[in-house]
Amino acid sequence: MNVALLKPAPEHAPNDLFADARSRLPGTGPVADVRAASFADFAARGLPHRRIEEWKYTDLRALLGQVAPLAAVPDEAALARAKAALAKLDVTGTTRFVLVDGVFAAELSDAPDAGVTLRRLCAVLGDEANAVRADLLRTNATNDVMVAFNAALATDGVVLGVADGARPEKPLHIVHVATQSAVSIATRSFLQLGKNAQATLVESFVTAEGAHDYQTHDAVVIWLGDDAALEHVRLVEDAHDAANISTAIVTLGAKARFNSFSITTGAHVSRYQAFIRFNGEDTHASINGINLLKDRQHGDATLVLDHAVPNCDSREEFRAVVDDSARSVFQGRINVHPDAQKTDAKMMTRALLLSDEAEADNKPELEIFADDVTCGHGATTGALDDSLLFYLRARGLPEKEAQAMLIQAFVGEAIETIADDSLREAAETAAERWLKARS
Amino acid sequence: MSALLEVNNLKVRVEDREILHGLTLTVNKGQVHAIMGPNGSGKSTLSHVIAGKPGYEVTDGEILFEGDDLLAMEPDERAAKGVFLAFQYPVEIPGVATMNFLRTALNAQRKARGEAEMSTPDFLKKVREVCTRLNIPQDMLKRGVNVGFSGGEKKRNEVLQMALFEPSLCILDEMDSGLDIDALRIAADGVNALRTPDRGFVVITHYQRLLNYIVPDVVHVMSHGRVVKSGGKELALELEESGYAQFEDKAA
Ligand SMILES: Nc1ncnc2c1ncn2[C@@H]1O[C@H](COP(=O)(O)OP(=O)(O)O)[C@@H](O)[C@H]1O
Ligand SMILES: [Mg+2]
């Protein structure tokens, strides 16, 4: 086989990419119009770079060069490799919705519990009787160019609904499996929780053996009804040379609870951007996560919170463990709108640097237009504490073991915020795997 | 009697300032040595250098442990060989459960000595036994290492580790500070229980009080980085009455 033929031609222009993909993208009429407009927006702006304020630390032009052509529809062999990857997942006991190379794989997925509805994105977009279908590709929450790119090219995804008052026992689990190399995979999924509904959403990003250098472009759009509660856990374990550019757009009703945790150990370049809007009063959101990065990994967590109504609380804590010449980025923006009195918003970031070349960038931004609020942010960046290391070594732990124990403690304190025992264990396992690979 | 610890003409600098100016001390197996002296005389510095804390520059002299060059060993090697320092200021380690820490440390020492790991039931049994003897509530072990502990609890956690690891050289740096009289008596009993003909102790203290409970064989007075006087246990009583002023003058 000629390896060179498998690589995208370096001069492969973005316009060709859309032209090539267009015929297979689901949706006609208004859907196709939104796609074309979104792509035109992307083509005009291009990949974000360091002079775009929101992307200043994550210059995708420098890090990715260009977007790869869209992945082919997975064949039988690809599905078999995806199945093998699924067998190795740490997270079990969930209702799995599996997306292979951006296409829903019914034969690898589970039937939803009572109270949960499941539709494929491509089916909804193709349903010409649905007058508002094109709205799924529109979003007012952000003008971000990578969200526009995702709208243009999303091939599939799941559209999940949890009925009012329903409490599905098993976590809803969207599993992204990449089997192809040097391709883009674009997906968009939805979850709507009805009034007083309670659920857990897990998102896993994994790789089938042999898949390399792919780009995941995902978006998930979440609505919580009044009194609804969602536990949200994402685990990014993509191949070490892959990219993962993901966006979450979350809208919270009144008296809702949203507890989110994101752990990234994989991907050469990753960006998780979450846009979270408080639309109803007395709602609490806690958004936490940790990046474990080594070699030349680049991991970015960017959170934008909009406190649009009074009396809501938000807590954000993102941690990073950065080794070798890896780089971690945290950007946290809190917008408190003029009416949002009694907002209580706190954001914290802690970075542990394990080498002299490791880097952690932190950009907190508070934009406050109400006067009776409590808002704060804090940041710490540093190496392992020498006095703690010495204490452990004086008790007999060799240097590497003493370091590992302190790193594990740092990671463990973050992971503790995951409420579900088995999901917390899965996150611990991912972290342990990263630590083992280090020593 | 064979020497357990020999410190010969030890000179130590910290950040370009000499703290220990040629200190000499020999502790034989079976002995308890007390080191007394005013604040800042270099007692903790000596204990840190013996344990292998980084940041100290030894410019002259040597430290032998059972005849081996201690300064050539990593801190964890020293621990595995039986050197134990009960710290004056034990650190808090958030996120590391005390129980996990104790087991990992004990097994790391055993592994370094070529011994088999201690099984979980054996370990738990031993911890329970030591906790009962030292009147330490087991709940303390569920918390992070020293996290939220009072000064006294931290000191008791040090004695607990000493009882668990059964080292051959125990250095106790101001173990009495932060302990009330009952806690002091229990901790001293823990130390005394370890007194065997094979072990040696260096008890660093500011006050004579502790030495009522842990009766020393030899008392040294340290001042300005040197041992300025050595004697029997009656020297401690003498110091209690006349204070350290006489030695301050001599060394100045
Ligand atoms: N890390 C350090 N940096 C600078 N000076 C130090 C350091 N540690 C100790 N010293 C100095 O060394 C001297 C002895 O301190 P220390 O050994 O703690 O005395 P002691 O335990 O007898 O009170 C003091 O003057 C103290 O200020
Ligand atoms: Mg001291």
Side-chain angles (χ1 to χ4, degrees):
Chain A
M1 205 188 304
N2 187 340
V3 176
L5 285 179
L6 295 176
K7 290 193 176 167
E11 66 275 15
H12 197 107
N15 282 319
D16 297 343
L17 189 155
F18 189 57
D20 292 351
R22 206 166 183 154
S23 60
R24 62 167 279 217
L25 291 171
T28 54
V31 173
D33 292 346
V34 174
R35 286 191 189 277
S38 298
F39 194 81
D41 180 18
F42 171 74
R45 290 197 270 169
L47 279 174
H49 50 84
R50 67 181 189 284
R51 288 184 307 281
I52 304 297
E53 185 57 26
E54 293 80 6
W55 290 85
K56 71 187 249 188
Y57 297 114
T58 299
D59 183 329
L60 289 188
R61 282 194 196 172
L63 291 163
L64 300 183
Q66 60 177 4
V67 287
L70 207 57
V73 175
D75 57 15
E76 285 303 316
L79 292 174
R81 285 167 58 225
K83 190 174 179 180
L86 291 172
K88 289 195 227 152
L89 277 186
D90 297 317
V91 179
T92 56
T94 55
T95 306
R96 287 180 181 171
F97 308 109
V98 181
L99 300 167
V100 180
D101 298 331
V103 179
F104 181 73
E107 60 274 50
L108 299 177
S109 299
D110 299 320
D113 281 347
V116 179
T117 55
L118 161 70
R119 284 175 299 164
R120 291 177 61 165
L121 176 69
C122 66
V124 180
L125 293 177
D127 177 5
E128 285 173 13
N130 184 340
V132 295
R133 63 193 191 280
D135 288 350
L136 294 182
L137 298 182
R138 291 193 187 101
T139 166
N140 301 321
T142 170
N143 175 39
D144 187 82
V145 67
M146 296 315 290
V147 176
F149 177 80
N150 176 274
L153 286 163
T155 46
D156 207 351
V158 289
V159 181
L160 299 166
V162 179
D164 289 354
R167 300 183 174 187
E169 204 180 306
K170 285 193 273 174
L172 309 172
H173 189 184
I174 303 174
V175 190
H176 300 259
V177 190
T179 77
Q180 299 172 42
S181 297
V183 294
S184 280
I185 299 167
T187 45
R188 181 174 285 213
S189 293
F190 298 80
L191 172 62
Q192 180 152 25
L193 258 63
K195 288 195 174 108
N196 201 24
Q198 276 185 23
T200 298
L201 172 68
V202 187
E203 300 177 80
S204 292
F205 295 85
V206 297
T207 307
E209 204 158 323
H212 287 292
D213 197 25
Y214 59 86
Q215 299 171 2
T216 292
H217 297 278
D218 181 54
V220 61
V221 182
I222 297 170
W223 296 275
L224 266 66
D226 294 350
D227 296 294
L230 181 67
E231 293 288 325
H232 176 221
V233 176
R234 49 194 311 278
L235 301 121
V236 177
E237 300 184 86
D238 281 299
H240 68 278
D241 53 2
N244 184 311
I245 311 298
S246 294
T247 303
I249 295 169
V250 183
T251 309
L252 303 170
K255 298 194 186 73
R257 296 281 171 276
F258 178 56
N259 185 29
S260 175
F261 190 86
S262 176
I263 177 167
T264 299
T265 55
H268 173 57
V269 175
S270 64
R271 159 97 159 191
Y272 171 48
Q273 45 182 13
F275 301 88
I276 295 161
R277 185 181 174 91
F278 291 82
N279 255 6
E281 294 188 35
D282 299 312
T283 285
H284 180 82
S286 151
I287 306 112
N288 306 298
I290 188 158
N291 286 340
L292 297 156
L293 308 171
K294 58 185 162 64
D295 303 324
R296 296 180 53 78
Q297 274 182 295
H298 180 109
D300 174 338
T302 293
L303 307 182
V304 179
L305 265 60
D306 272 285
H307 279 273
V309 295
N311 295 313
C312 293
D313 297 346
S314 61
R315 292 289 177 277
E316 301 164 65
E317 181 166 329
F318 264 76
R319 295 190 175 203
V321 180
V322 197
D323 202 357
D324 306 322
S325 45
R327 184 173 183 190
S328 175
V329 175
F330 176 77
Q331 303 186 105
R333 185 181 176 85
I334 300 174
N335 297 319
V336 180
H337 296 225
D339 290 338
Q341 301 297 359
K342 306 283 180 196
T343 289
D344 179 349
K346 291 196 181 62
M347 128 175 101
M348 183 71 205
T349 162
R350 296 179 199 278
L352 182 56
L353 304 181
L354 299 179
S355 97
D356 291 343
E357 286 79 46
E359 186 177 330
D361 298 298
N362 175 41
K363 189 175 77 174
E365 291 175 291
L366 302 178
E367 187 114 354
I368 302 172
F369 291 106
D371 48 23
D372 185 13
V373 301
T374 313
C375 290
H377 65 87
T380 62
T381 300
L384 288 171
D385 185 321
D386 283 334
S387 64
L388 304 194
L389 271 178
F390 174 63
Y391 188 86
L392 295 178
R393 297 198 66 196
R395 295 301 181 246
L397 271 73
E399 188 170 20
K400 280 269 176 195
E401 274 182 55
Q403 288 177 349
M405 187 173 257
L406 293 180
I407 299 167
Q408 219 151 17
F410 180 85
V411 175
E413 283 187 311
I415 290 175
E416 259 175 29
T417 63
I418 301 176
D420 183 285
D421 290 342
S422 67
L423 294 177
R424 193 170 54 245
E425 277 169 31
E428 277 163 5
T429 306
E432 273 163 29
R433 208 177 291 128
W434 182 90
L435 264 178
K436 269 210 192 92
R438 183 180 173 262
S439 50
Chain B
M1 253 193 296
S2 65
L4 183 63
L5 175 74
E6 292 166 84
V7 180
N8 293 320
N9 188 36
L10 187 70
K11 294 187 180 168
V12 172
R13 299 178 80 89
V14 178
E15 290 168 4
D16 286 340
R17 191 175 135 223
E18 194 169 270
I19 309 285
L20 301 181
H21 312 286
L23 185 137
T24 294
L25 175 75
T26 299
V27 179
N28 289 326
K29 288 184 177 171
Q31 282 186 328
V32 175
H33 286 234
I35 298 181
M36 304 183 73
N39 275 330
S41 55
K43 304 184 297 294
S44 291
T45 300
L46 173 65
S47 73
H48 288 156
V49 174
I50 293 172
K53 185 170 179 166
Y56 297 90
E57 189 195 350
V58 176
T59 55
D60 202 4
E62 60 173 5
I63 305 180
L64 302 179
F65 178 69
E66 295 182 316
D68 294 330
D69 179 6
L70 199 65
L71 294 174
M73 298 178 207
E74 295 292 322
D76 45 295
E77 289 180 78
R78 302 182 198 198
K81 281 201 183 286
V83 176
F84 181 89
L85 167 61
F87 288 87
Q88 180 175 4
Y89 302 111
V91 291
E92 298 190 11
I93 314 182
V96 176
T98 306
M99 205 63 165
N100 177 36
F101 157 71
L102 294 175
R103 183 170 35 209
T104 308
L106 181 69
N107 282 327
Q109 292 187 23
R110 293 174 69 98
K111 189 176 167 197
R113 291 193 294 261
E115 299 167 10
E117 277 201 0
M118 188 180 273
S119 73
T120 304
D122 285 353
F123 172 77
L124 292 175
K125 197 171 144 214
K126 186 158 179 176
V127 170
R128 215 173 300 129
E129 182 265 311
V130 172
C131 280
T132 308
R133 187 152 52 82
L134 297 175
N135 199 19
I136 291 172
Q138 293 242 21
D139 272 357
M140 226 169 87
L141 310 185
K142 291 189 187 129
R143 293 190 260 162
V145 177
N146 292 327
V147 176
F149 285 22
S150 68
E153 284 174 324
K154 285 180 186 169
K155 292 307 177 79
R156 282 202 273 175
N157 194 14
E158 296 293 286
V159 178
L160 162 69
Q161 292 171 49
M162 189 173 78
L164 203 59
F165 301 150
E166 299 176 328
S168 48
L169 173 65
C170 307
I171 304 163
L172 303 156
D173 192 355
E174 309 225 5
M175 186 194 93
D176 44 340
S177 62
L179 291 183
D180 64 33
I181 198 74
D182 290 329
L184 180 63
R185 194 178 293 127
I186 293 166
D189 286 347
V191 173
N192 289 327
L194 283 175
R195 287 181 78 161
T196 64
D198 292 334
R199 289 208 176 85
F201 294 81
V202 176
V203 181
I204 295 170
T205 181
H206 204 70
Y207 304 103
Q208 189 272 339
R209 187 181 72 156
L210 175 66
L211 304 180
N212 290 333
Y213 300 101
I214 305 173
V215 180
D217 301 295
V218 186
V219 175
H220 307 276
V221 181
M222 213 172 137
S223 177
H224 296 286
R226 283 189 188 84
V227 171
V228 291
K229 186 165 184 179
S230 300
K233 61 175 183 262
E234 64 289 347
L235 179 57
L237 288 168
E238 197 181 299
L239 280 170
E240 180 93 328
E241 274 170 28
S242 54
Y244 296 115
Q246 46 175 326
F247 303 106
E248 296 277 38
D249 288 343
K250 205 188 286 180

